Amino acid sequence: MDEITARQARFLKDHRRHHHLVTALRFLIFFLFLAAWEISTRVHLIDAFIFSSPSRILETVFTMGRDGSIFRHTGITLYETLVSFLLVILVSFLMATVLWFSSTASEVLEPCLVILNSLPKSALAPLLIVWLGANPGTIIVAGMSVAVFGSIISMYTAFRETDEEKIKLIRTLGGNRMHILCCVVFPSSIPSILSILKVNIGLCLVGVIIGEFLAAREGLGYLIIYASQIFKMNYLITSLIILCIIAFLLYQIIQKLEHYIRKARKI
Amino acid sequence: MSPLLEVSHVCYSYHTLSGETQALCDITFSVDEGEFLAIVGPSGCGKSTLLSLLSGLIEPEQGSVHIGRLPVSGHRAGIGYMLQKDHLFEWRTVYKNVILGLEIQKRLTKENLEHVEEMLKDYGLAAFKDSRPSELSGGMRQRAALIRTLALNPSLLLLDEPFSALDYQTRLNVCNDVCGIIKRENKTAILVTHDLSEAVSMADRILILSRRPAGIVKILPVHFKEKGLTPMERRQAPEFKDYFNEIWKELNAHG
Ligand SMILES: Nc1ncnc2c1ncn2[C@@H]1O[C@H](COP(=O)(O)OP(=O)(O)O)[C@@H](O)[C@H]1O
Ligand SMILES: [Mg+2]
C-alpha cells in the first residue's frame, strides 16, 4: 500500500498539525512560567532568597559546573540508583524463580513479603544505616529496600499467570519443569517484566535519595539536605531540577529498551 | 496381533477442597495399530481427562493403561498429543515452533529435521517457515501444530477437539487435510470431539461416552461401502446419515 488516499493524507496532516500544536504549547507554557518567575523576583513580588530564580539557578549551575561538584553529586546518585536497580532486578528474578519452583516456599514466605512490601520503605533506611554504616553500599541497599519486595511479588505473580494450557503443551512434548520455565514462563512474562522495570527504576531513585538524606557526604540527596540546612535555596532547587531530569531520562531509557525488545520479539 | 493401546477398568476423580469430581468410571477399550478411533460425549464428561490419562500426564486411580504391552507412566515419547488450541508461541518463528518438541527432547538430529522440512513442504507451510504464527491463517496454524506433534514421530496420536477453535468452513477443510496427513503418515489416532458429524466422517470406530461420571455407552464400528473415502466424501455417502442418527439416539438416551 504505497498509494494513500486523499482522505488518509488529510487525516495524517491533521494529526501532525495537532502534534506540533501540543509541542508548541508545552514550550510556551514552560517559557511563560520561567519569565513570570524571573520577573516576579526582579520586581520583589516574591523573595529571591527563598524562591530563587531562573537566572540564579543558571548561575549556580555554572559555578557548580566549574568546580565539577555538579557532576560528582549527580554521578554518585546515578551510579547508586543504577546499581540498586540492577540488583533489584537480579534478586527479584532469582527469588521469583525459586518461589515458582517451590509452591511450599512461596506459601511460607508470602506473609513476610506482603508485610515487608506494605511497610513504608523509608522506615527501613535508618535501621540499615545503623546496621551497615554510612557508606555508598548502604545507600544502594536503601535504594533496593524500597523496590525489591514489591518487585519479587509482581514478578512471581507474572510467572504464575502463565497459561496452564501452554504449560500442558510443554508437558505433552516431554518437557520437565526447567523446560516449562525456559520455554513458556520466562518468554510469556517479558511484557510484565518490562513494566516492572519501569516502576522500579523510579522506586530505586526514591530509595537512594532517602538514603542520601540520612547518611551521605555526596549525592543529590545529600546536597538537598545540606542546602536546606544552610538556606542555600539556589542549590536546593538546582538539585531538584537535576533530579527531575535524571528521573525523566532513566524512565526514557527503560521505555526505549521496552520498545526495542517488543519490536525484536514482535509482541 | 495384540492391540497397540489397552485401557482396562480405568477410573479417575479430581479432588479439590470443595469436593470430589468423579470424571471417569470403569473405562475399558483397546485400539489397534493404524486404527482411527473417535471419542464423542457431552461436554464436561471427561474426554480431555481420558486423553491426559492415555498420554501419562495423569495416572489412573484404578485400572491400567498399556501401550504396546508397557504401562504408561510419566511422559512417553511414543505419544503425540494435540491440544484444542494450537498454542504456537508468538516469540518463535513457525519453524522454531515446529521443532520445539525435538528441541526439548534433544532429538535435533539430521533425519528428524529433514522429516520436519518434508512435512512443512508437503503441507504447504514451507514458505512460512520464518514467519511469525500470527501471520498464518487458522487452518495453517492447526497444520503447524500437527507437524509439531508429528515431528516427534509418535506411534499414537491423541487429538483433543483440534478443530473446535476454527470457523465452520475452515474446519471442514482442515479436518480433511489433517485426516489425509494422518493416513499418509500411517498413524494410529484417537480423536476427541463433541461434533458427531466430524466423528462419523473421520473414524473407523466411535466410542460414545455418557454424562459425567463418564462410562462407555457403546463402541460403534463405522463401515462405509466404498473404502478410502476422505472425510468430505464420507459426508456425501448414504451411510453417513444413519451413523449420525444412531449416535444421536445413543447420546440422547444416556447423555
Ligand atoms: N483440574 C481439575 N480439577 C477439578 N475438576 C476438574 C479439573 N479438570 C476437569 N475437571 C472436571 O472434570 C470434568 C471433566 O473434565 P474434562 O475432561 O475437561 O471434560 P471434557 O473434555 O469432556 O469437556 C468436568 O466436570 C470438570 O469440571
Ligand atoms: Mg475437553
Side-chain angles (χ1 to χ4, degrees), chain A residues 110-128:
Chain A
E110 202 190 335
C112 302
L113 283 173
V114 170
I115 290 171
L116 285 171
N117 186 42
S118 46
L119 196 74
K121 305 310 173 321
S122 42
L124 282 180
L127 185 72
L128 292 173

PDB file of all heavy atoms in Angstrom, chain A residues 110-128:
ATOM      1  N   GLU A 110       5.069 -15.953  51.706  1.00  0.00           N
ATOM      2  CA  GLU A 110       4.153 -14.907  51.248  1.00  0.00           C
ATOM      3  C   GLU A 110       3.835 -13.838  52.297  1.00  0.00           C
ATOM      4  O   GLU A 110       3.934 -12.641  51.999  1.00  0.00           O
ATOM      5  CB  GLU A 110       2.870 -15.535  50.707  1.00  0.00           C
ATOM      6  CG  GLU A 110       2.157 -14.591  49.767  1.00  0.00           C
ATOM      7  CD  GLU A 110       0.778 -15.093  49.407  1.00  0.00           C
ATOM      8  OE1 GLU A 110       0.552 -16.320  49.472  1.00  0.00           O
ATOM      9  OE2 GLU A 110      -0.062 -14.263  49.075  1.00  0.00           O
ATOM     10  N   PRO A 111       3.470 -14.241  53.544  1.00  0.00           N
ATOM     11  CA  PRO A 111       3.154 -13.196  54.533  1.00  0.00           C
ATOM     12  C   PRO A 111       4.323 -12.239  54.766  1.00  0.00           C
ATOM     13  O   PRO A 111       4.120 -11.026  54.841  1.00  0.00           O
ATOM     14  CB  PRO A 111       2.861 -13.986  55.811  1.00  0.00           C
ATOM     15  CG  PRO A 111       2.654 -15.380  55.395  1.00  0.00           C
ATOM     16  CD  PRO A 111       3.316 -15.588  54.092  1.00  0.00           C
ATOM     17  N   CYS A 112       5.563 -12.789  54.833  1.00  0.00           N
ATOM     18  CA  CYS A 112       6.741 -11.930  55.039  1.00  0.00           C
ATOM     19  C   CYS A 112       6.824 -10.892  53.926  1.00  0.00           C
ATOM     20  O   CYS A 112       7.004  -9.698  54.186  1.00  0.00           O
ATOM     21  CB  CYS A 112       8.022 -12.749  54.989  1.00  0.00           C
ATOM     22  SG  CYS A 112       8.094 -14.048  56.185  1.00  0.00           S
ATOM     23  N   LEU A 113       6.698 -11.356  52.688  1.00  0.00           N
ATOM     24  CA  LEU A 113       6.829 -10.449  51.555  1.00  0.00           C
ATOM     25  C   LEU A 113       5.757  -9.372  51.599  1.00  0.00           C
ATOM     26  O   LEU A 113       6.031  -8.194  51.370  1.00  0.00           O
ATOM     27  CB  LEU A 113       6.716 -11.227  50.245  1.00  0.00           C
ATOM     28  CG  LEU A 113       7.957 -12.016  49.841  1.00  0.00           C
ATOM     29  CD1 LEU A 113       7.668 -12.868  48.623  1.00  0.00           C
ATOM     30  CD2 LEU A 113       9.100 -11.053  49.556  1.00  0.00           C
ATOM     31  N   VAL A 114       4.522  -9.795  51.902  1.00  0.00           N
ATOM     32  CA  VAL A 114       3.418  -8.829  51.908  1.00  0.00           C
ATOM     33  C   VAL A 114       3.649  -7.770  52.979  1.00  0.00           C
ATOM     34  O   VAL A 114       3.480  -6.569  52.736  1.00  0.00           O
ATOM     35  CB  VAL A 114       2.071  -9.561  52.111  1.00  0.00           C
ATOM     36  CG1 VAL A 114       0.956  -8.562  52.352  1.00  0.00           C
ATOM     37  CG2 VAL A 114       1.764 -10.422  50.908  1.00  0.00           C
ATOM     38  N   ILE A 115       4.085  -8.220  54.174  1.00  0.00           N
ATOM     39  CA  ILE A 115       4.312  -7.262  55.263  1.00  0.00           C
ATOM     40  C   ILE A 115       5.453  -6.315  54.905  1.00  0.00           C
ATOM     41  O   ILE A 115       5.323  -5.090  55.009  1.00  0.00           O
ATOM     42  CB  ILE A 115       4.629  -8.004  56.581  1.00  0.00           C
ATOM     43  CG1 ILE A 115       3.361  -8.717  57.074  1.00  0.00           C
ATOM     44  CG2 ILE A 115       5.136  -7.029  57.641  1.00  0.00           C
ATOM     45  CD1 ILE A 115       3.591  -9.637  58.237  1.00  0.00           C
ATOM     46  N   LEU A 116       6.576  -6.885  54.442  1.00  0.00           N
ATOM     47  CA  LEU A 116       7.719  -6.037  54.097  1.00  0.00           C
ATOM     48  C   LEU A 116       7.365  -5.061  52.987  1.00  0.00           C
ATOM     49  O   LEU A 116       7.841  -3.928  52.967  1.00  0.00           O
ATOM     50  CB  LEU A 116       8.896  -6.909  53.652  1.00  0.00           C
ATOM     51  CG  LEU A 116       9.626  -7.624  54.792  1.00  0.00           C
ATOM     52  CD1 LEU A 116      10.625  -8.615  54.246  1.00  0.00           C
ATOM     53  CD2 LEU A 116      10.302  -6.617  55.693  1.00  0.00           C
ATOM     54  N   ASN A 117       6.496  -5.520  52.060  1.00  0.00           N
ATOM     55  CA  ASN A 117       6.135  -4.653  50.948  1.00  0.00           C
ATOM     56  C   ASN A 117       5.196  -3.536  51.372  1.00  0.00           C
ATOM     57  O   ASN A 117       5.235  -2.440  50.828  1.00  0.00           O
ATOM     58  CB  ASN A 117       5.497  -5.484  49.833  1.00  0.00           C
ATOM     59  CG  ASN A 117       5.247  -4.666  48.598  1.00  0.00           C
ATOM     60  OD1 ASN A 117       6.102  -3.870  48.218  1.00  0.00           O
ATOM     61  ND2 ASN A 117       4.091  -4.828  47.990  1.00  0.00           N
ATOM     62  N   SER A 118       4.341  -3.815  52.385  1.00  0.00           N
ATOM     63  CA  SER A 118       3.390  -2.768  52.765  1.00  0.00           C
ATOM     64  C   SER A 118       3.998  -1.793  53.775  1.00  0.00           C
ATOM     65  O   SER A 118       3.433  -0.751  54.062  1.00  0.00           O
ATOM     66  CB  SER A 118       2.098  -3.387  53.312  1.00  0.00           C
ATOM     67  OG  SER A 118       2.410  -4.395  54.215  1.00  0.00           O
ATOM     68  N   LEU A 119       5.172  -2.149  54.309  1.00  0.00           N
ATOM     69  CA  LEU A 119       5.874  -1.242  55.221  1.00  0.00           C
ATOM     70  C   LEU A 119       6.280   0.017  54.465  1.00  0.00           C
ATOM     71  O   LEU A 119       6.745  -0.071  53.335  1.00  0.00           O
ATOM     72  CB  LEU A 119       7.124  -1.968  55.698  1.00  0.00           C
ATOM     73  CG  LEU A 119       7.850  -1.448  56.924  1.00  0.00           C
ATOM     74  CD1 LEU A 119       7.051  -1.800  58.167  1.00  0.00           C
ATOM     75  CD2 LEU A 119       9.223  -2.086  56.993  1.00  0.00           C
ATOM     76  N   PRO A 120       6.115   1.229  55.065  1.00  0.00           N
ATOM     77  CA  PRO A 120       6.669   2.419  54.400  1.00  0.00           C
ATOM     78  C   PRO A 120       8.188   2.253  54.342  1.00  0.00           C
ATOM     79  O   PRO A 120       8.838   2.125  55.374  1.00  0.00           O
ATOM     80  CB  PRO A 120       6.286   3.573  55.333  1.00  0.00           C
ATOM     81  CG  PRO A 120       5.260   3.017  56.254  1.00  0.00           C
ATOM     82  CD  PRO A 120       5.450   1.552  56.317  1.00  0.00           C
ATOM     83  N   LYS A 121       8.745   2.193  53.114  1.00  0.00           N
ATOM     84  CA  LYS A 121      10.128   1.760  52.959  1.00  0.00           C
ATOM     85  C   LYS A 121      11.124   2.719  53.602  1.00  0.00           C
ATOM     86  O   LYS A 121      12.182   2.314  54.038  1.00  0.00           O
ATOM     87  CB  LYS A 121      10.487   1.604  51.480  1.00  0.00           C
ATOM     88  CG  LYS A 121       9.593   0.692  50.679  1.00  0.00           C
ATOM     89  CD  LYS A 121       9.385  -0.639  51.336  1.00  0.00           C
ATOM     90  CE  LYS A 121       8.358  -1.452  50.581  1.00  0.00           C
ATOM     91  NZ  LYS A 121       7.235  -0.661  50.086  1.00  0.00           N
ATOM     92  N   SER A 122      10.767   4.022  53.675  1.00  0.00           N
ATOM     93  CA  SER A 122      11.719   4.973  54.243  1.00  0.00           C
ATOM     94  C   SER A 122      12.003   4.637  55.706  1.00  0.00           C
ATOM     95  O   SER A 122      13.039   5.010  56.241  1.00  0.00           O
ATOM     96  CB  SER A 122      11.176   6.387  54.115  1.00  0.00           C
ATOM     97  OG  SER A 122       9.806   6.407  54.434  1.00  0.00           O
ATOM     98  N   ALA A 123      11.088   3.877  56.336  1.00  0.00           N
ATOM     99  CA  ALA A 123      11.286   3.500  57.731  1.00  0.00           C
ATOM    100  C   ALA A 123      12.454   2.537  57.899  1.00  0.00           C
ATOM    101  O   ALA A 123      13.030   2.427  58.983  1.00  0.00           O
ATOM    102  CB  ALA A 123      10.005   2.875  58.282  1.00  0.00           C
ATOM    103  N   LEU A 124      12.797   1.819  56.838  1.00  0.00           N
ATOM    104  CA  LEU A 124      13.882   0.847  56.940  1.00  0.00           C
ATOM    105  C   LEU A 124      15.258   1.515  56.877  1.00  0.00           C
ATOM    106  O   LEU A 124      16.229   0.992  57.404  1.00  0.00           O
ATOM    107  CB  LEU A 124      13.783  -0.175  55.801  1.00  0.00           C
ATOM    108  CG  LEU A 124      12.747  -1.283  55.934  1.00  0.00           C
ATOM    109  CD1 LEU A 124      12.819  -2.179  54.723  1.00  0.00           C
ATOM    110  CD2 LEU A 124      12.996  -2.082  57.199  1.00  0.00           C
ATOM    111  N   ALA A 125      15.311   2.674  56.195  1.00  0.00           N
ATOM    112  CA  ALA A 125      16.612   3.281  55.909  1.00  0.00           C
ATOM    113  C   ALA A 125      17.442   3.567  57.176  1.00  0.00           C
ATOM    114  O   ALA A 125      18.621   3.200  57.213  1.00  0.00           O
ATOM    115  CB  ALA A 125      16.421   4.537  55.067  1.00  0.00           C
ATOM    116  N   PRO A 126      16.869   4.175  58.251  1.00  0.00           N
ATOM    117  CA  PRO A 126      17.681   4.416  59.451  1.00  0.00           C
ATOM    118  C   PRO A 126      18.265   3.127  60.019  1.00  0.00           C
ATOM    119  O   PRO A 126      19.418   3.079  60.426  1.00  0.00           O
ATOM    120  CB  PRO A 126      16.677   5.031  60.439  1.00  0.00           C
ATOM    121  CG  PRO A 126      15.600   5.584  59.590  1.00  0.00           C
ATOM    122  CD  PRO A 126      15.506   4.682  58.404  1.00  0.00           C
ATOM    123  N   LEU A 127      17.465   2.075  60.007  1.00  0.00           N
ATOM    124  CA  LEU A 127      17.907   0.778  60.510  1.00  0.00           C
ATOM    125  C   LEU A 127      19.111   0.283  59.710  1.00  0.00           C
ATOM    126  O   LEU A 127      20.125  -0.141  60.260  1.00  0.00           O
ATOM    127  CB  LEU A 127      16.746  -0.204  60.378  1.00  0.00           C
ATOM    128  CG  LEU A 127      16.967  -1.593  60.954  1.00  0.00           C
ATOM    129  CD1 LEU A 127      16.956  -1.518  62.470  1.00  0.00           C
ATOM    130  CD2 LEU A 127      15.888  -2.547  60.468  1.00  0.00           C
ATOM    131  N   LEU A 128      18.992   0.379  58.386  1.00  0.00           N
ATOM    132  CA  LEU A 128      20.072  -0.087  57.514  1.00  0.00           C
ATOM    133  C   LEU A 128      21.353   0.683  57.795  1.00  0.00           C
ATOM    134  O   LEU A 128      22.447   0.114  57.786  1.00  0.00           O
ATOM    135  CB  LEU A 128      19.668   0.093  56.046  1.00  0.00           C
ATOM    136  CG  LEU A 128      18.534  -0.817  55.563  1.00  0.00           C
ATOM    137  CD1 LEU A 128      18.112  -0.430  54.151  1.00  0.00           C
ATOM    138  CD2 LEU A 128      18.962  -2.263  55.621  1.00  0.00           C
TER     139      LEU A 128
END
